[in-house]
Amino acid sequence: MIAQPTPPPKRWITKPLPDSSAQRVAIEALTQSLNISPFLAGLLVQRGIHTFEEARTFFRPELGHLHDPFLMKDMDRAIERLKLAFLRQEKILVYGDYDVDGTTSVALFYGFLKTFYPHVDYYIPDRYKEGYGVSKAGIEWAVENEFSLIVSLDCGIKSVDRVTEAWLLGVDFIICDHHRPGRGTAGDELPPAAAVLDPKRSDCNYPYKELTGCGVGFKLLQAYCIFENIPLETLFGYLDLVAISIASDIVPITGENRVMAYYGLKVLNQSPRPGVKALIKVAGFTRELDITNVVFGLGPRINAAGRIQHAKAAVQLMLSDSEEEAETFAQEINQHNASRREFDTTITEQALSMIRRNETMVKAKTTVLYDATWHKGVIGIVASRCIEHFHRPTIILTQSHNKAAGSARSVPGFDVYEAIEECAELLEQFGGHTFAAGMTLPIDNIEAFRRKFEEVVARKITEEHLTPLVEIDLPMDFSEIEPKMVRILKQMAPFGPQNMCPVFMTDDVYMVGLPTIMKEKHLKMTVRQGRSGHTFTAVGFGFAHWADQLSSGEPFSICYQVEENHYGGNISLQLMLRDIKW
């Protein structure tokens, strides 16, 4: 197993305190109108919530807050083409990517259409044989089976050539995507589709830009329901799938995403579809799910189907009508996930060893590693694992169809997509987001790409980017921590990007008694602020290396999140440590 070295020191950044005159007025108003402490009111103001109405919208999201889907560019054209397909009784193919966002998109769109339209099927490309996006094999399959309309979800925006091929063969596309379009000499280079729904189109004025692919598919169905006067409640039962996509695709949980995640979690917890219920069971969850449970419990299992065998199994699970069938699919997917874990653990060990044996790699600003034997399905996970040890933009490459296929991950504040774009002449194709991307290149280009990527990143990246960051919301005394405060913090959920679970910082902290080491690497201790006062249990995962220094009796500072600990039927408050400093 990988040794557990002392992690690199982290950089603590405290968000600006809300201390302007307008902010102080807002804090006083919220303190009175919400009957909360000035400290909690300050936390809300820090997040841009200044009035009672804004607080009500934040704490009580409503489905009525969703935007009019017809504000999205091409939505009218998409509905027109969809209605024409229904009128002509055309065969419609729902085409989605093989990751969580893609498979939930397909389950949502196909599942909804199938309730009233019989001539519909779905297609998920094989991760290894076809790769990402609209594939030649997928179009050939559609033509052979006489489909005349493809609705692509979570892919298609950069598939200009493939969509053109399909059009010449008599197959139309409605594209539902959320990735950046390709750039041409005259701006966005868009495929010749019947409709291109993508809030990241430069000519799209849709008010919210951070939807998932599943979210864009949901907006198309919402528009159809509005156009046909179908009760939206029929569609809202599918929000569990949208919530899974939002959590797993790591998009901001703000605006519409917050509303859909909030209500999607309600569906997950109160009336999950048989497939999702079976997945929750094999993941071992017994209490109410939150976004973190979805990210680390459900998402990886859904992803594992496509990583180890074929993502169609994930869609079959989510579409299962019977609990017996769902449990069979869930057990199969759970086994895929166990295999995935074995792969990523082994490959991560090999990757870290490659870096540590090479002084040049250790000192580099980037990590670019290649091994032809690595499993393509886990290289993105391995890239993330490497960043935990070497905090810098990372690309892990393996061999696929006599090419090098890679997955990139970045660090907060650095746009890895833009850096890869500057190396485009060495690549055959690439795509992605600010913090994650994928690429294909000739194997002979790997060394040149490694040098060019290092040069581009070294020119742009700062030492701050290269230092792990802990972002602190507010300094806090232990006297502020009490049950009412934690109840209000819980109502700020769902947490995720741009609405993270609050992190607090407290100085002059002492350990009471001796620490407990758990599983040789985790730490549990009792802490107190000052020489007297409130004490709390604090838990730090991976913090065992600090046990000796804590035992010195010197005061220290901690940053942490406050959580409820459920044990033996009792609920207590505990601190989940993020970092310690002396």
Side-chain angles (χ1 to χ4, degrees):
M1 294 296 291
I2 301 169
Q4 297 293 325
T6 301
K10 296 183 176 69
R11 181 167 51 100
W12 292 17
I13 296 292
T14 303
K15 295 177 184 177
L17 299 176
D19 59 0
S20 71
S21 57
Q23 287 172 324
R24 287 195 293 271
V25 169
I27 289 171
E28 185 176 345
L30 288 174
T31 300
Q32 294 178 0
S33 62
L34 299 177
N35 189 27
I36 59 176
S37 70
F39 179 84
L40 282 172
L43 185 64
L44 294 177
V45 169
Q46 191 182 56
R47 295 188 178 216
I49 299 163
H50 296 86
T51 67
F52 177 79
E53 286 301 318
E54 289 171 347
R56 184 166 64 180
T57 299
F58 178 74
F59 283 116
R60 301 287 182 269
E62 296 177 10
L63 290 165
H65 296 156
L66 296 176
H67 298 302
D68 178 354
F70 287 97
L71 295 173
M72 193 176 294
K73 182 76 173 178
D74 272 9
M75 186 62 79
D76 52 346
R77 294 177 60 185
I79 295 298
E80 206 173 289
R81 184 63 186 88
L82 204 55
K83 279 182 58 61
L84 184 62
F86 295 151
L87 182 66
R88 291 175 173 173
Q89 294 289 291
E90 295 179 57
K91 291 181 73 175
I92 300 172
L93 185 64
V94 180
Y95 187 111
D97 189 25
Y98 41 68
D99 67 1
V100 179
D101 192 14
T103 52
T104 52
S105 298
V106 169
L108 161 76
F109 206 89
Y110 171 85
F112 186 80
L113 256 59
K114 194 66 176 174
T115 61
F116 63 88
Y117 188 71
H119 310 302
V120 60
D121 204 344
Y122 64 90
Y123 187 96
I124 308 284
D126 186 286
R127 178 187 283 264
Y128 306 112
K129 295 177 182 176
E130 298 170 70
Y132 170 77
V134 178
S135 70
K136 188 176 183 65
I139 291 172
E140 289 173 351
W141 192 87
V143 172
E144 287 168 7
N145 290 277
E146 300 181 335
F147 289 91
S148 53
L149 175 62
I150 296 176
V151 179
S152 70
L153 297 144
D154 191 36
C155 60
I157 192 67
K158 295 183 79 172
S159 301
V160 176
D161 292 344
R162 292 282 179 259
V163 175
T164 302
E165 288 172 21
W167 180 72
L168 292 172
L169 292 168
V171 180
D172 275 347
F173 263 81
I174 295 173
I175 292 170
C176 300
D177 207 344
H178 68 129
H179 298 96
R180 301 178 190 178
R183 298 292 291 171
T185 53
D188 290 347
E189 186 180 12
L190 300 176
V196 179
L197 304 177
D198 189 335
K200 290 192 175 74
R201 285 179 60 165
S202 59
D203 61 348
C204 180
N205 295 319
Y206 191 71
Y208 190 70
K209 301 292 185 181
E210 302 298 337
L211 296 171
T212 59
C214 189
V216 177
F218 179 87
K219 297 306 293 187
L220 174 53
L221 293 176
Q222 182 191 8
Y224 181 76
C225 289
I226 291 170
F227 191 86
E228 293 290 345
N229 292 314
I230 298 170
L232 285 171
E233 288 72 22
T234 309
L235 178 61
F236 291 156
Y238 291 83
L239 280 171
D240 56 340
L241 300 175
V242 184
I244 292 171
S245 81
I246 289 169
S248 301
D249 226 44
I250 321 295
V251 292
I253 302 190
T254 56
E256 278 194 306
N257 282 346
R258 178 173 172 81
V259 175
M260 292 190 287
Y262 180 88
Y263 283 95
L265 284 170
K266 283 184 177 294
V267 178
L268 275 173
N269 286 305
Q270 295 171 10
S271 54
R273 64 193 62 245
V276 174
K277 184 178 180 181
L279 202 59
I280 292 168
K281 182 179 177 181
V282 297
F285 294 122
T286 55
R287 292 202 302 269
E288 190 170 278
L289 297 181
D290 59 19
I291 289 292
T292 300
N293 299 143
V294 177
V295 170
F296 294 106
L298 305 189
R301 286 173 168 80
I302 295 171
N303 250 334
R307 293 185 192 280
I308 306 303
Q309 284 196 343
H310 198 288
K312 196 165 187 176
V315 179
Q316 291 169 329
L317 170 69
M318 289 182 275
L319 291 173
S320 294
D321 290 325
S322 77
E323 292 199 1
E324 185 179 352
E325 179 188 55
E327 287 187 8
T328 300
F329 280 128
Q331 290 292 346
E332 180 185 337
I333 282 177
N334 202 45
Q335 186 55 52
H336 293 333
N337 190 54
S339 301
R340 186 271 306 168
R341 283 179 174 171
E342 291 178 16
F343 282 130
D344 81 57
T345 298
T346 301
I347 296 170
T348 299
E349 291 176 3
Q350 294 171 354
L352 291 172
S353 178
M354 288 170 68
I355 298 170
R356 289 171 177 148
R357 290 198 311 263
N358 186 316
E359 192 63 27
T360 301
M361 285 189 182
V362 170
K363 293 180 178 178
K365 306 293 186 187
T366 64
T367 296
V368 179
L369 302 175
Y370 169 77
D371 187 304
T373 67
W374 287 344
H375 195 291
K376 186 182 176 186
V378 301
I379 55 176
I381 298 169
V382 172
S384 298
R385 298 270 192 269
C386 288
I387 288 175
E388 293 172 9
H389 297 264
F390 294 89
H391 192 78
R392 60 201 189 189
T394 296
I395 298 175
I396 303 296
L397 298 154
T398 190
Q399 185 172 320
S400 177
H401 302 295
N402 299 314
K403 306 285 185 183
S407 194
R409 297 293 183 269
S410 195
V411 294
F414 188 81
D415 191 329
V416 73
Y417 180 90
E418 284 189 356
I420 291 169
E421 198 169 31
E422 288 198 37
C423 308
E425 74 277 5
L426 296 167
L427 305 174
E428 290 193 354
Q429 62 180 29
F430 66 96
H433 304 287
T434 302
F435 299 123
M439 72 215 66
T440 304
L441 65 156
I443 291 172
D444 290 344
N445 285 6
I446 290 173
E447 282 306 314
F449 174 75
R450 191 200 310 271
R451 291 193 297 270
K452 180 68 181 290
F453 185 66
E454 171 72 16
E455 181 269 317
V456 170
V457 173
R459 189 174 71 244
K460 294 184 171 191
I461 205 161
T462 67
E463 284 304 314
E464 289 187 344
H465 291 137
L466 295 167
T467 306
L469 173 68
V470 178
E471 194 168 32
I472 297 162
D473 289 84
L474 288 171
M476 180 169 70
D477 289 338
F478 281 179
S479 59
E480 295 282 354
I481 305 173
E482 42 82 31
K484 180 182 177 182
M485 174 223 182
V486 177
R487 285 197 302 273
I488 293 170
L489 290 182
K490 286 174 65 179
Q491 291 179 50
M492 295 173 68
F495 295 117
Q498 297 185 29
N499 184 48
M500 299 300 287
C501 182
V503 175
F504 304 107
M505 187 270 291
T506 302
D507 292 324
D508 194 31
V509 176
Y510 291 82
M511 182 172 68
V512 179
L514 296 174
T516 300
I517 306 300
M518 303 178 292
K519 296 184 179 179
E520 300 183 357
K521 55 184 178 179
H522 309 310
L523 181 78
K524 185 176 182 180
M525 61 180 173
T526 301
V527 292
R528 179 169 56 210
Q529 186 178 19
R531 292 294 185 181
S532 61
H534 300 78
T535 61
F536 292 96
T537 298
V539 176
F541 291 107
F543 282 19
H545 59 278
W546 271 316
D548 289 342
Q549 194 167 354
L550 286 164
S551 299
S552 69
E554 294 296 315
F556 49 91
S557 300
I558 58 173
C559 55
Y560 56 92
Q561 294 165 324
V562 184
E563 292 186 0
E564 288 181 343
N565 179 39
H566 297 252
Y567 184 74
N570 298 315
I571 302 175
S572 60
L573 303 182
Q574 69 180 15
L575 314 182
M576 302 303 297
L577 298 174
R578 297 289 303 279
D579 200 17
I580 303 175
K581 280 190 177 180
W582 279 265

